[in-house]
Amino acid sequence: MTTRVVLGVSGGIAAYKACELLRRFTESGHDVTVVPTASALEFVGTPTWAALSGKPVSSEVWHDVHAVPHVQIGQHADVVVVAPATADLLAKAAHGLADDLLTNTLLTARCPVVFAPAMHTEMWEHPATRANVATLRQRGAVVIEPAEGRLTGADTGKGRLPDPAEIFELVRGVLDRGADASLDLAGRTVVVSAGGTREYLDPVRFLGNRSSGLQGYALARAAASRGAHVTLISANVSLPDPAGVSVVRVETTAQLRDAVVAATATADAVVMAAAPADFRPTAVSHAKIKKAADGSAPAIELEQNPDILAEISHDRARAEAVIVGFAAETGDATGSVLDLGRAKLARKGCDLLVVNDVSGGAVFGSSDNEAVVLGSDGASVEVPHGSKTALSHVIWDEVVRRFAD
């Protein structure tokens, strides 16, 4: 069955970016109805929206009155996305005003609604806007945190529209959950780590691993789609920032440890999906290490890095926080992948451990995953082969379950 998407566009300079979002929806097979405001049409005209959507476009309730569009569009939508959502549009939505086709559609929609704000920093931070956002979230809408970066003119700050590709991924996550798309993480602060750390030998060489960061980014995106305030601590990942997520970038395990410890002070949940290097060189050369004339290789002495998962699990900043770890295992003479996973769960002291069988390099760099989620309470949830987004939602389901406990 074709998914019916309503793309609302309000009058901000970022309206041109909604064309890319529309293209992603239509190319993915969604039936998209574009509902711009009159102000949005000052930035991008009706012919553009009609050509890209393949449908007539209007901002007025008086167009095709016999079809009652101000009621029908919202009633039949599977999701409504407003991108960009200006301060004015957020205010109207929060107060139930309905003076054009888009605001009427928002009042009649009984499906998930996603707002992607874009405005100057001062407008986003104004108490009136913050109150309107809080009201919309309380009613069950997903209001994405805007990105930081270049704004109109020379200004830089928070208020930039997130990357359209990331907005699309977030909305797709909302649609995939269907009837289960509740904002069960609303009001929660979560921390996710992603990627692999690097331990430098000299200015150009380092010890590292194959972690791509895809699972951590999927976890961050999924948490944002469920209403959480998300801090993503990213170690050497070359992926676009997930929509609505605050990103902290690190390189080494020590930097990752400091960032995680700082972020966990106020976190309701921490998911350690990053792959920290277990060891680092005891000394780092300030100059590039040269090849020896006799062909001999230099001896590199290593020392153990801090165990971040064990530290935040045993010395919890908040006793009620849910801590989730990951274990990439291959199995060996001492036990199977699950045997090693259960031992690691007990040793680390976390609440949940996501165990991946990475034999032959499986999982790394792939868009799919499969795992077993082990709980310190003895629970075990097998997650069959599927997308990393699907696994992310299973993990958050288990976290939410422990909130309820």
Side-chain angles (χ1 to χ4, degrees), residues 60-149:
E60 299 291 338
V61 296
W62 310 112
H63 183 76
D64 286 338
V65 174
H66 65 283
V68 201
H70 73 290
V71 173
Q72 294 290 327
I73 293 174
Q75 282 182 336
H76 294 100
D78 293 304
V79 66
V80 177
V81 185
V82 184
T86 61
D88 178 70
L89 188 283
L90 293 173
K92 288 179 178 179
H95 289 86
L97 301 182
D99 60 355
D100 62 7
L101 189 56
L102 178 54
T103 48
N104 274 272
T105 297
L106 289 170
L107 278 183
T108 56
R110 293 298 179 266
C111 58
V113 178
V114 179
F115 294 93
M119 63 196 74
H120 264 68
T121 306
E122 293 85 355
M123 300 173 73
W124 173 252
E125 294 177 346
H126 194 282
T129 304
R130 304 309 300 157
N132 292 332
V133 168
T135 296
L136 291 169
R137 286 173 172 165
Q138 187 177 27
R139 290 180 188 153
V142 176
V143 184
I144 304 171
E145 288 288 314
E148 295 187 23

Side-chain angles (χ1 to χ4, degrees), residues 173-228:
V174 171
L175 287 169
D176 286 347
R177 294 183 68 211
D180 296 326
S182 63
L183 297 182
D184 50 9
L185 290 176
R188 299 286 188 177
T189 297
V190 304
V191 176
V192 178
S193 69
T197 60
R198 297 174 177 176
E199 303 300 336
Y200 284 89
L201 302 169
D202 62 24
V204 298
R205 301 183 182 92
F206 58 83
L207 299 175
N209 58 64
R210 296 177 59 191
S211 179
S212 65
L214 287 170
Q215 184 64 73
Y217 273 58
L219 280 157
R221 191 182 296 115
S225 74
R226 295 168 77 144

Side-chain angles (χ1 to χ4, degrees), residues 240-256:
D241 293 351
V245 171
S246 299
V247 181
V248 178
R249 290 179 173 79
V250 298
E251 286 190 280
T252 67
T253 301
Q255 292 170 353
L256 177 64

Side-chain angles (χ1 to χ4, degrees), residues 9 15-16 19 22 34 36-53 55-59:
V9 186
Y16 76 93
C19 295
L22 171 57
V34 182
T37 65
S39 296
L41 295 178
E42 296 290 332
F43 293 96
V44 181
T46 300
T48 299
W49 300 121
L52 291 176
S53 68
K55 288 185 172 184
V57 171
S58 176
S59 64

